[in-house]
Amino acid sequence: MSLTVLSRVAALLLLFVALLHASALPAVSSYEFTAYRMQQYNIQQKRHGCRGARVQAEARSADEPVLTRRCVIMKLLDFSIERYLEALRQTAAAVLILLPKNISAVHQDIIQSFMVGESEALLRDTIIPTYVVPEDEQLLFMYEEVKHAAATRASSILVRVLRSMVIASAFQILVTNTKPIKPITDNTITTLEGVLPGAGEDLPTIIITAHYDSYGLSPWLSYGADSNGSGVTILLELARLFRKLYSSTHSQPPYHLLFSLTGGGKYNFIGTKKFIEENMDHAETSLLHDNVAFVLCLDTLANGDELFLHVSRPPKPGTPQHTFVQQLELVVSSRFPWVKLGMVHKKINLGETTVAWEHERYAIRRIPGFTLSHLGDPKAELRGSILDTMLHVDLRKMKRNAIIIAESLARFMYNLSDKDSPKDIQVFKGQMEFQDSRMSTLMSLLASLPRAMQLDKEPKNALLVNSLEHELRHYLHQVHRHTFRQDKRDPELTFFDQMEQPMMMYRIKPAAFDLFLGGCIAAYLGTVYYAIQNFEYLYTKLKAAVKSKQQ
């Protein structure tokens, strides 16, 4: 080997090692962020959600053929129930879903597809940790890198090997919290109720109720705008307007009007169940003991041009609920003829452990009622999605639905069903109108905060419940706050901790890179060793080469 060749080889090796070292610098960088774990709860001893929290694995794209012991990274566009189940089948180390900051920029088909997959995933019980993370610049960079790596792996073997050894980067995902998951059994459920007393004695009672909690893939990201922020907003506005009617003896209807906001609606309406049990089984005096005309449950009413009245049994002619349905049909046909009003009949199966709608809790205790919603199917994905944001709220349609409910109630309570009463009479107009600004403010407040039941003890959530109570006290009489505690020995509902986790992302080089770098260093040292061992020979050659150039 000539000296010229050796010197060139040494120089190239030095330059290559320097470049490799420079490319390896990002390997020590890390990025910490907050990840939100998928729902985990037991209801009536049945497990739901993911039971795993710890993650320490290399990030891989969902496009990869092999996902075993890898953390699968998906954007909203990538997520589907098929891909999620494939990750579970291959025993992936974890699934990390990136949630875009601006949901309004996402196509509706993608949103609907995600909600379908989300609904299916929530029915599963898995040990594989599943997390949702709001997108940011660092996470999107990681996503693009692993996506590009997946595309490169589809190329030739030589390209894959060279890329893996020289320029490829990998990302290690780590949950820094190593504590075991613990059950939370000391859950409390808060229900608020208030009354507008009617004129007279031994009057029937109309109950208007809505649940205020939300539900989705992750509790910390469940804002529940339409389901059921809309029901709560309409209930509070009804309380404000009907208080004006009840404030004068001349317009006070012959009905007690009871308003209730219940917790635990997304978990088998456990708050409603506890509220009914306390009033029916333990309280000596209660309006639920007396003559209840019907219960009107408000659920998901901020969109659509359809209204569905969900009932456990069709109302019989001559009953209060039948008369109210007639008034509902009259108001819709005379003022909003483009709105389609339908009735959905679903019998209660006492053998089932879950109920579909809130009115079914009352029907089990033989209290007549129905649920009004723009959704015809109780299993509609919108009722339990982290994508149920203000994007799904149409304030004009929510106000229209509120007007339909208010006018129908007024016509029923003032007995405006006889032939002499004008069909187009409007009770709520002028100073009695629904206030757009108030409804918008209430809706925005409710949709700005995740209201999952697991978060009830969070300061902001406790403040929200206090605000709802204040609203009711401002308009109603005899407002009560009921806090129900579960039996710790045999809880009906059990939540688990570690729903909000610190997570770290490390940028690393793959093992092949270390081997390749080691080979380059070994070659360099070998060259230096050869030069030292053959110094005299090399010196002679160098001297001869210099002389030949001088001649």
Side-chain angles (χ1 to χ4, degrees):
M1 184 183 290
S2 68
L3 181 63
T4 304
V5 174
L6 281 172
S7 61
R8 288 178 179 177
V9 171
L12 286 173
L13 284 172
L14 282 170
L15 178 62
F16 197 51
V17 169
L19 290 173
L20 287 173
H21 179 67
S23 69
L25 287 178
V28 300
S29 63
S30 64
Y31 177 61
E32 186 169 358
F33 54 95
T34 301
Y36 303 97
R37 193 161 67 91
M38 180 181 173
Q39 291 269 2
Q40 182 187 4
Y41 63 94
N42 298 344
I43 185 165
Q44 294 179 344
Q45 308 305 319
K46 185 177 180 181
R47 298 188 301 196
H48 295 264
C50 77
R51 292 176 280 117
R54 296 182 183 181
V55 181
Q56 185 173 3
E58 183 182 334
R60 288 293 178 91
S61 168
D63 298 331
E64 296 273 10
V66 179
L67 304 174
T68 304
R69 294 188 294 179
R70 299 290 188 268
C71 179
V72 184
I73 311 296
M74 301 184 191
K75 290 178 73 173
L76 214 62
L77 177 64
D78 306 320
F79 184 84
S80 67
I81 189 59
E82 291 79 17
R83 281 187 163 180
Y84 179 71
L85 293 179
E86 178 62 18
L88 300 189
R89 187 188 68 81
Q90 292 197 37
T91 61
V95 174
L96 187 63
I97 303 168
L98 304 184
L99 191 66
K101 289 184 177 180
N102 185 14
I103 300 294
S104 60
V106 182
H107 195 276
Q108 186 60 39
D109 290 343
I110 297 175
I111 291 177
Q112 184 60 34
S113 175
F114 176 83
M115 289 196 297
V116 171
E118 177 186 21
S119 177
E120 289 288 330
L122 283 167
L123 297 176
R124 307 281 169 173
D125 168 40
T126 176
I127 193 65
I128 296 176
T130 302
Y131 286 91
V132 184
V133 184
E135 288 179 356
D136 63 22
E137 186 178 354
Q138 294 289 339
L139 294 173
L140 287 175
F141 174 77
M142 174 190 69
Y143 172 83
E144 294 299 333
E145 284 284 303
V146 298
K147 193 83 170 174
H148 182 64
T152 305
R153 289 187 182 93
S155 57
S156 66
I157 296 177
L158 180 60
V159 172
R160 294 203 308 269
V161 171
L162 289 175
R163 185 185 187 280
S164 175
M165 290 193 301
V166 181
I167 62 173
S169 289
F171 295 89
Q172 191 81 3
I173 305 298
L174 173 67
V175 169
T176 57
N177 184 6
T178 58
K179 296 179 181 179
I181 299 173
K182 294 181 180 179
I184 303 172
T185 56
D186 59 341
N187 304 300
T188 59
I189 307 157
T190 301
T191 292
L192 306 172
E193 65 156 320
V195 179
L196 288 173
E201 297 181 358
D202 299 327
L203 299 176
T205 300
I206 297 173
I207 301 173
I208 302 176
T209 183
H211 68 88
Y212 61 80
D213 58 314
S214 58
Y215 183 76
L217 192 65
S218 171
W220 280 94
L221 299 172
S222 302
Y223 293 91
D226 194 0
S227 179
N228 191 32
S230 61
V232 175
T233 299
I234 292 175
L235 183 144
L236 293 175
E237 190 67 349
L238 290 174
R240 181 184 72 85
L241 293 175
F242 274 92
R243 180 183 181 276
K244 295 182 178 181
L245 294 177
Y246 275 77
S247 60
S248 171
T249 55
H250 299 291
S251 59
Q252 193 174 12
Y255 289 91
H256 298 308
L257 200 52
L258 188 151
F259 295 86
S260 73
L261 291 173
T262 59
K266 298 299 185 181
Y267 298 95
N268 209 18
F269 297 98
I270 188 172
T272 305
K273 177 186 176 184
K274 298 293 185 183
F275 173 70
I276 295 172
E277 288 176 351
E278 181 177 272
N279 281 272
M280 298 288 289
D281 302 333
H282 304 297
E284 295 182 1
T285 59
S286 169
L287 291 177
L288 270 66
H289 277 302
D290 303 326
N291 179 19
V292 176
F294 56 82
V295 181
L296 177 59
C297 307
L298 310 178
D299 195 326
T300 319
L301 288 161
N303 217 318
D305 287 325
E306 292 180 307
L307 279 176
F308 296 95
L309 204 63
H310 298 270
V311 298
S312 298
R313 60 176 63 184
K316 295 181 179 180
T319 60
Q321 52 268 38
H322 185 267
T323 305
F324 173 75
V325 172
Q326 289 180 320
Q327 297 304 321
L328 200 64
E329 293 170 342
L330 180 62
V331 172
V332 170
S333 61
S334 61
R335 294 189 57 183
F336 308 99
W338 63 89
V339 176
K340 181 181 177 182
L341 180 65
M343 184 178 293
V344 181
H345 174 213
K346 174 185 171 296
K347 290 184 178 181
I348 296 178
N349 183 357
L350 296 177
E352 294 181 356
T353 57
T354 59
V355 296
W357 299 101
E358 189 171 8
H359 74 270
E360 295 180 16
R361 282 293 179 198
Y362 288 91
I364 290 172
R365 300 302 294 265
R366 300 187 181 278
I367 299 175
F370 20 66
T371 297
L372 193 63
S373 175
H374 74 76
L375 299 176
D377 185 358
K379 297 180 181 179
E381 294 81 17
L382 185 63
R383 295 187 75 201
S385 176
I386 57 177
L387 298 187
D388 180 13
T389 62
M390 286 296 289
L391 178 66
H392 288 91
V393 172
D394 188 322
L395 293 172
R396 294 176 302 171
K397 292 182 178 181
M398 182 173 69
K399 179 182 177 181
R400 178 204 66 201
N401 292 338
I403 292 172
I404 292 173
I405 295 167
E407 293 288 356
S408 302
L409 278 171
R411 291 185 66 88
F412 171 79
M413 291 192 295
Y414 291 116
N415 195 23
L416 299 179
S417 57
D418 55 61
K419 296 180 180 179
D420 298 330
S421 301
K423 294 182 178 181
D424 58 350
I425 187 172
Q426 295 183 28
V427 177
F428 298 94
K429 59 182 180 179
Q431 294 184 345
M432 293 287 291
E433 280 186 336
F434 284 84
Q435 294 181 357
D436 293 346
S437 59
R438 173 177 157 80
M439 295 186 74
S440 176
T441 301
L442 286 171
M443 189 72 251
S444 297
L445 172 65
L446 289 162
S448 66
L449 190 69
R451 305 185 311 279
M453 186 179 162
Q454 295 98 317
L455 310 179
D456 280 354
K457 294 181 181 179
E458 293 293 318
K460 290 184 178 180
N461 293 73
L463 183 61
L464 175 64
V465 175
N466 290 339
S467 299
L468 295 176
E469 183 180 3
H470 176 76
E471 282 285 323
L472 292 179
R473 289 190 183 280
H474 191 67
Y475 301 114
L476 307 179
H477 301 275
Q478 305 172 25
V479 174
H480 299 287
R481 179 177 185 146
H482 305 272
T483 301
F484 307 108
R485 298 185 182 277
Q486 295 191 96
D487 184 355
K488 292 185 179 181
R489 296 168 297 181
D490 186 24
E492 186 173 346
L493 178 64
T494 302
F495 292 125
F496 295 84
D497 64 2
Q498 299 189 34
M499 303 309 296
E500 184 185 28
Q501 292 276 35
M503 187 174 278
M504 294 197 73
M505 174 185 74
Y506 294 92
R507 186 174 183 181
I508 60 174
K509 287 291 183 180
F513 171 82
D514 295 331
L515 292 173
F516 186 68
L517 180 60
C520 291
I521 294 173
Y524 167 72
L525 293 176
T527 304
V528 173
Y529 177 78
Y530 178 84
I532 294 172
Q533 292 294 320
N534 298 276
F535 178 76
E536 290 184 3
Y537 172 77
L538 295 174
Y539 178 75
T540 303
K541 288 289 186 181
L542 177 61
K543 190 175 180 180
V546 171
K547 285 183 178 181
S548 64
K549 285 185 178 181
Q550 289 177 349
Q551 292 175 357

